[in-house]
Amino acid sequence: MHLSHTLGQAGEQHVIGEIVAAAPSALNGDDAAVMFPDPPNSRTVACTDMMVEGRHFRRDWSTPMEVGQKAILRNFADIEAMGARPTAALLAIAAPTETHVSFVRGIAEGIAQRCALYNAELVGGDLTRGSQLVITVTAIGTLGGSQPPLTLGGARAGQKLVSHGKIGYSAAGLALLQEYGRDLPPELSELWPLIDAHCNPSLKPGRGVIARATGATAMTDNSDGLVPDIAGVAKRSNVHIDLHSTAIAPDALLTEAGVVLGVDPWEWVLTGGEDHTLVATTNKEAPSGFRVIGTVNRGTGLTVDGKKPRYDAGWQSF
């Protein structure tokens, strides 16, 4: 059976075989994965996230490997945001029968490539027929030591707000794709990193664990938009957070993309989401790989330089 065949032609067992071949794991059991015991004084962390074709990705914009890498990064960022280390993942796919086996195998290859950066493995999942392509990843991680997890409610007045990763890049990349697709004009080739940030966002492995180990008290990842995500921390912690505009200002790439598309790049920075930037609060100096982007104060709400953000929308699932 060739990879050019459809799922309907190949059948479930052949497609599962392709997924296992692309992302092998000795932990993948007959009916369920059998995990190793957690290290002493540690806890298990788990999360799940879905990607629906046409809403979270498009095949004419993303390669199968990029879809897989994005699917796993969305979940591993949530594990990291708790201060934990990703260790394994489960993959469930619902797809039309006319979907090519090569596309599903490419998704598995992208997941395996991303998992390797974390020394994690794809340990199982499910495959079924569906009217549209839906990819669900469940991630499992380990939270070591006796320190509390980095929930949204741990911010305290007097702390710094720090971040790791790009802000606004994914939203700018999406705007470029909506205008040009993957056929970016040659004269705009320097903007490719923005498209890459949307189709295949990145996060340096282990930053969440480092933040927790060096004193962070709360953390989230920028998935729905910087303002709504940080406002969630402020609300849960009952504090006021002030973002420093000089620390989050659009860089040269975002500014150029804004000029090309006629968009204020601050909109991407403040509300774009899907960068999966880690944002944390701490009493100490910014952890390795992080930078200070704001302060935590008494009161409630979120401001930028003491004023209401000029944009405050964000991603809404419904």
Side-chain angles (χ1 to χ4, degrees), residues 204-226:
K204 189 172 183 179
R207 294 300 101 178
V209 174
I210 289 173
R212 179 168 172 263
T214 55
T217 61
M219 186 152 61
T220 189
D221 75 303
N222 174 22
S223 55
D224 295 334
L226 191 66

Side-chain angles (χ1 to χ4, degrees), residues 161 226-232 234 239-243 270 300-304 306-309 311-312:
L161 185 73
L226 191 66
V227 166
D229 283 329
I230 297 178
V239 295
H240 168 258
I241 295 178
D242 187 51
L243 293 168
L270 295 175
T300 58
L302 181 141
T303 55
V304 178
K307 301 176 182 178
K308 181 181 177 180
Y311 304 104
D312 58 7

Side-chain angles (χ1 to χ4, degrees), residues 191-215:
L191 300 180
W192 270 108
L194 301 177
I195 291 179
D196 290 338
H198 178 76
C199 295
N200 186 12
S202 63
L203 179 67
K204 189 172 183 179
R207 294 300 101 178
V209 174
I210 289 173
R212 179 168 172 263
T214 55

Side-chain angles (χ1 to χ4, degrees), residues 81-292:
M82 300 300 292
R85 180 178 69 85
T87 56
L90 299 162
L91 169 67
I93 297 178
T97 55
E98 63 269 19
T99 304
H100 286 276
V101 175
S102 60
F103 192 89
V104 174
R105 168 136 188 165
I107 290 172
E109 289 173 346
I111 288 175
Q113 187 177 91
R114 183 77 70 178
C115 280
L117 299 177
Y118 289 84
N119 197 28
E121 296 180 2
L122 182 64
V123 299
D126 192 26
L127 178 68
T128 188
R129 181 174 62 188
S131 58
Q132 67 181 127
L133 182 59
V134 180
I135 302 165
T136 302
V137 171
T138 297
I140 302 167
T142 297
L143 188 72
S146 58
Q147 295 170 303
L150 301 180
T151 63
L152 300 180
R156 298 293 180 264
Q159 294 183 327
K160 304 179 183 71
L161 185 73
V162 298
S163 73
H164 166 71
K166 301 291 187 181
I167 300 175
Y169 269 44
S170 179
L174 174 60
L176 286 167
L177 286 166
Q178 290 171 331
E179 180 68 21
Y180 300 107
R182 288 297 285 246
D183 298 321
L184 195 63
E187 63 271 20
L188 301 179
S189 60
E190 66 274 11
L191 300 180
W192 270 108
L194 301 177
I195 291 179
D196 290 338
H198 178 76
C199 295
N200 186 12
S202 63
L203 179 67
K204 189 172 183 179
R207 294 300 101 178
V209 174
I210 289 173
R212 179 168 172 263
T214 55
T217 61
M219 186 152 61
T220 189
D221 75 303
N222 174 22
S223 55
D224 295 334
L226 191 66
V227 166
D229 283 329
I230 297 178
V233 175
K235 181 177 181 180
R236 288 281 294 274
S237 298
N238 195 31
V239 295
H240 168 258
I241 295 178
D242 187 51
L243 293 168
H244 300 163
S245 64
T246 54
I248 61 172
D251 65 10
L253 273 184
L254 291 176
T255 300
E256 182 177 351
V259 171
V260 168
L261 297 174
V263 175
D264 181 357
W266 274 104
E267 185 172 1
W268 296 327
V269 169
L270 295 175
T271 67
E274 283 206 315
D275 288 307
H276 301 291
T277 304
L278 295 178
V279 183
T281 59
T282 181
N283 291 309
K284 302 181 180 181
E285 295 302 313
S288 175
F290 285 74
R291 59 194 176 95
V292 177

